[in-house]
């Protein structure tokens, strides 16, 4: 028997709504959360090495991601200090700028 309900359309609507809810929940869970390098590289950089992230994200986009310029990174300022990364802003920036990052770049061998 034919149905008057287009199941594909309903499924698309439900999937969109679930995706929207999940996205908003994730963003609200990240409010006020800070990460170190390891959390950032695992969550946003496909587990690239710390050297790779420092070279191809932090150094490459230094001025725009710097907290003092409205960005999300407070860089480590010497031995014994760590980067402070504001998780929510970092994830939003990474989503908007993922195409600008050279994901195929390699760290030069020493």
């Amino acid at each position: 028997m034919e149905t008057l309900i287009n199941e594909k359309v309903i499924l698309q609507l439900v999937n969109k709504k679930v995706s929207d809810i999940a996205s908003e929940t994730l963003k609200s869970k990240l409010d006020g959360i800070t990460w170190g390098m390891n959390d950032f590289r695992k969550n946003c950089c496909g587990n690239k090495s710390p050297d790779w992230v420092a070279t191809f994200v932090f150094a490459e986009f230094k001025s725009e991601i710097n907290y003092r310029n409205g960005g999300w990174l407070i860089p480590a300022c010497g031995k014994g200090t760590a980067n402070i990364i504001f998780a929510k802003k970092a994830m939003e920036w990474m989503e908007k700028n993922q195409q600008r990052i050279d994901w195929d770049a390699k760290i030069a061998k020493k």
Side-chain angles (χ1 to χ4, degrees), residues 29-100:
K29 294 284 185 199
L30 291 175
D31 284 344
I33 299 295
T34 59
W35 287 334
M37 170 67 88
N38 284 332
D39 290 322
F40 175 73
R41 68 186 189 85
K42 289 175 185 174
N43 288 296
C44 295
C45 299
N47 211 24
K48 296 278 192 179
S49 74
D51 288 342
W52 189 97
V53 173
T55 302
F56 300 110
V57 179
F58 292 179
E60 185 71 22
F61 303 99
K62 183 177 182 174
S63 65
E64 71 185 87
I65 66 173
N66 190 290
Y67 181 77
R68 301 221 186 284
N69 298 332
W72 45 265
L73 171 68
I74 299 175
C77 59
K79 190 173 182 171
T81 63
N83 294 304
I84 298 172
I85 299 161
F86 293 92
K88 183 176 179 178
K89 281 184 90 170
M91 286 186 72
E92 289 168 351
W93 186 92
M94 290 294 288
E95 183 65 28
K96 288 181 199 167
N97 293 282
Q98 61 185 309
Q99 295 298 318
R100 296 174 59 203

Side-chain angles (χ1 to χ4, degrees), residues 4-44:
L4 296 176
I5 298 172
N6 185 331
E7 291 176 7
K8 284 184 180 181
V9 170
I10 290 178
L11 184 59
Q12 288 173 339
L13 291 170
V14 169
N15 284 339
K16 168 104 174 72
K17 187 64 176 174
V18 168
S19 178
D20 291 347
I21 291 169
S23 180
E24 285 304 311
T25 300
L26 178 61
K27 286 180 183 178
S28 70
K29 294 284 185 199
L30 291 175
D31 284 344
I33 299 295
T34 59
W35 287 334
M37 170 67 88
N38 284 332
D39 290 322
F40 175 73
R41 68 186 189 85
K42 289 175 185 174
N43 288 296
C44 295

